[in-house]
Amino acid sequence: MGREQGTLPGCESAVESQTEAPAKQESEVSVGKPRYEVIDREQLCWRPIDIERLIGAEHPARAVWEFIGRLELSLYQEEARAVEGKAGRPGWEPRLLVSLWVYGYSQGIGSARAIEELCQWEPAYQWLTGSRVINAHTLSDFRVKHDTALNGLFVQTLGLLSVDGLITLERVMQDGTKIRAKAAADSFRRHSESNKRSKKPRHKSPPLKR
């Protein structure tokens, strides 16, 4: 015969409290304070960067770089201190410096210090420089040294790129007037059309800010 298990008289309440304990604990856990992943924006991290993919294929910075690369810039290379076969620290390519200024002006940036700061984090400037930071003094000295030549170059370049739809001027100082628009990029138009448009009345280039 099997033994029948029973509850001793007077112990019914103790058994009921034991069976209710686990359910009570689960209830306390479910109503506790929620825990979430902590977002730490002050941490430093290392990660690989694909510089070529920092900006899209139709980004205005690409149009500026391509356009400047088609110009004759030998005038700005005559005073290069570092040449192949001789000692010396390499300088920055005139194409890069001109592109930074042109793109900066198209975005309403006319300060060498501002461009230096943007080179540290802004994708378009990082793409142009290959994630390098160009010193503000280098930018300013280049701008001042070639002031006359660059004034005409900036006006022609910004005008042609804007008219051809490669960029539109977001905020450029022209004779003290601010012009606002959105940045955009498109394909190059025919060279003959660009030449006709380049003969239109010119405006003064934006003033230099250090």
Side-chain angles (χ1 to χ4, degrees):
M1 295 179 60
R3 297 178 58 186
E4 296 182 358
Q5 295 182 352
T7 303
L8 296 177
C11 296
E12 294 83 353
S13 59
V15 174
E16 292 177 357
S17 62
Q18 292 178 359
T19 58
E20 294 176 356
K24 185 177 181 181
Q25 292 177 357
E26 293 180 359
S27 176
E28 291 178 351
V29 171
S30 63
V31 299
K33 185 177 180 180
R35 292 187 296 111
Y36 301 108
E37 291 288 344
V38 178
I39 304 300
D40 183 7
R41 295 186 175 87
E42 296 182 357
Q43 64 178 326
L44 301 177
C45 60
W46 295 90
R47 62 178 181 179
I49 298 178
D50 187 347
I51 296 177
E52 185 58 33
R53 298 181 64 182
L54 284 173
I55 58 177
E58 300 299 319
H59 195 283
R62 293 184 184 272
V64 170
W65 178 254
E66 179 68 19
F67 189 87
I68 298 300
R70 298 184 179 188
L71 301 180
E72 175 58 50
L73 301 177
S74 58
L75 170 65
Y76 308 100
Q77 299 175 352
E78 295 178 355
E79 299 180 2
R81 297 179 180 178
V83 296
E84 295 182 358
K86 295 184 179 180
R89 183 178 180 180
W92 295 109
E93 184 182 5
R95 180 183 180 184
L96 172 60
L97 300 178
V98 173
S99 296
L100 286 172
W101 277 114
V102 170
Y103 181 73
Y105 281 143
S106 74
Q107 302 299 306
I109 306 298
S111 166
R113 294 185 184 278
I115 293 177
E116 177 187 1
E117 181 178 350
L118 288 167
C119 287
Q120 301 177 31
W121 61 270
E122 210 282 335
Y125 291 89
Q126 287 187 318
W127 181 85
L128 285 170
T129 65
S131 198
R132 304 282 297 276
V133 177
I134 312 299
N135 186 278
H137 293 293
T138 299
L139 290 163
S140 179
D141 290 345
F142 179 79
R143 178 70 172 88
V144 173
K145 181 183 297 184
H146 304 287
D147 182 63
T148 302
L150 287 174
N151 281 340
L153 177 62
F154 289 155
V155 171
Q156 281 190 343
T157 302
L158 290 171
L160 289 173
L161 290 175
S162 177
V163 172
D164 284 354
L166 299 173
I167 64 171
T168 53
L169 307 183
E170 183 170 325
R171 183 193 293 176
V172 180
M173 299 298 296
Q174 295 185 349
D175 297 331
T177 303
K178 294 181 179 179
I179 299 179
R180 300 172 182 269
K182 294 181 180 179
D186 203 338
S187 60
F188 285 97
R189 294 187 179 180
R190 291 183 302 174
H191 183 65
S192 59
E193 294 180 358
S194 297
N195 286 338
K196 292 179 181 179
R197 287 162 182 162
S198 66
K199 295 179 181 179
K200 292 182 178 181
R202 301 178 180 179
H203 296 280
K204 296 181 180 179
S205 61
L208 171 64
K209 298 179 182 179
R210 299 186 180 182

